[in-house]
Amino acid sequence: KDRAVLLLVDQRINMFFGTRNRLKSVTAAQLGALAAWRALDSGDRVGALVFDDRDLLELRPERSEKNVMGILHGLLDKNHALRADSDVSPAPQMLNHALEKALRLAPHDVLVVIISDFFGVDRETERLVTRIAAHNDILGLLVHDPMRLQPPAALLRVGDSSRQAEIDLRDDRLRERLVANYRDEQQRIAQFLRR
């Protein structure tokens, strides 16, 4: 049957991180592009909510190559706007803002695909996802960087546009704590999506 697919693609500043091959934001954009073409190839209508820390691009589901190209251009624009020297402040609430819009665009029988690192998940996120899932299917794709699970034993310099710091990861206990912390975070996100 005819089905709509709605992609929520995260392009916030927290996605501008990567240690191997590509940034999380690039991986999210690639997944969004693949999902859009796949939906169109299956004869489904496809739309997207592409969001960053400041605003959200809304493309309503349509069955057309023109709409898919609009999604791709939106992904490209948001992705290219990410910069290491950006003055933007992280906005975890933008995930909830995108979910509020999705609730309006997905009344029933829509496949909602969330492509994100799920930074900012809170009780409101769970409430919104529960409301969306009442009449739709949700697929959550967790984008992460492999270094979170295998940090190098090295002295790293990290920073953003306003500050820099050195982190000494040569301490085995510190690396183990970082990995355990991230595994807990992943487990919380997985439990959240299962609920």
Side-chain angles (χ1 to χ4, degrees):
K1 70 176 188 178
D2 174 51
R3 183 173 201 186
V5 176
L6 182 63
L7 308 172
L8 276 70
V9 185
D10 190 345
Q11 291 291 291
R12 294 176 293 168
I13 195 70
N14 52 288
M15 298 289 285
F16 192 67
F17 178 79
T19 58
R20 299 189 193 143
N21 300 327
R22 69 186 64 86
L23 301 170
K24 293 190 302 182
S25 59
V26 172
T27 298
Q30 289 174 335
L31 289 168
L34 286 169
W37 283 118
R38 177 70 173 103
L40 184 65
D41 189 53
S42 297
D44 292 331
R45 291 173 289 132
V46 61
L49 296 167
V50 183
F51 60 100
D52 60 18
D53 296 281
R54 291 189 174 136
D55 63 4
L56 178 145
L57 172 68
E58 177 182 323
L59 292 151
R60 293 179 174 274
E62 292 180 16
R63 188 182 305 109
S64 73
E65 192 169 305
K66 181 181 176 186
N67 205 45
V68 170
M69 292 306 294
I71 292 168
L72 299 183
H73 285 294
L75 289 168
L76 189 64
D77 290 345
K78 292 278 188 206
N79 190 267
H80 284 179
L82 290 169
R83 309 181 61 82
D85 60 356
S86 173
D87 64 347
V88 69
S89 296
Q93 73 279 5
M94 286 302 290
L95 176 60
N96 289 347
H97 181 59
L99 289 168
E100 287 168 357
K101 293 271 190 183
L103 191 56
R104 189 174 42 79
L105 290 176
H108 60 82
D109 297 325
V110 175
L111 173 60
V112 178
V113 181
I114 306 168
I115 304 169
S116 176
D117 65 357
F118 292 91
F119 171 67
V121 167
D122 59 15
R123 286 196 172 119
E124 179 64 7
T125 314
E126 189 166 344
R127 186 186 71 76
L128 290 165
V129 169
T130 300
R131 287 185 60 199
I132 294 168
H135 303 288
N136 303 284
D137 292 325
I138 296 182
L139 176 62
L141 303 178
L142 174 62
V143 179
H144 73 97
D145 187 84
M147 190 183 91
R148 295 285 307 267
L149 293 171
Q150 298 172 332
L155 182 64
L156 298 180
R157 178 170 286 139
V158 296
D160 58 20
S161 61
S162 61
R163 356 166 243 256
Q164 287 194 353
E166 286 187 346
I167 301 174
D168 190 352
L169 295 178
R170 293 174 289 196
D171 181 346
D172 291 342
R173 290 178 307 199
L174 176 60
R175 283 196 319 279
E176 288 168 8
R177 285 197 315 260
L178 288 171
V179 169
N181 178 274
Y182 186 60
R183 285 191 194 282
D184 289 347
E185 182 182 323
Q186 279 189 316
Q187 195 170 26
R188 281 192 306 275
I189 292 168
Q191 288 171 349
F192 152 75
L193 289 172
R194 281 190 207 102
R195 282 195 304 269

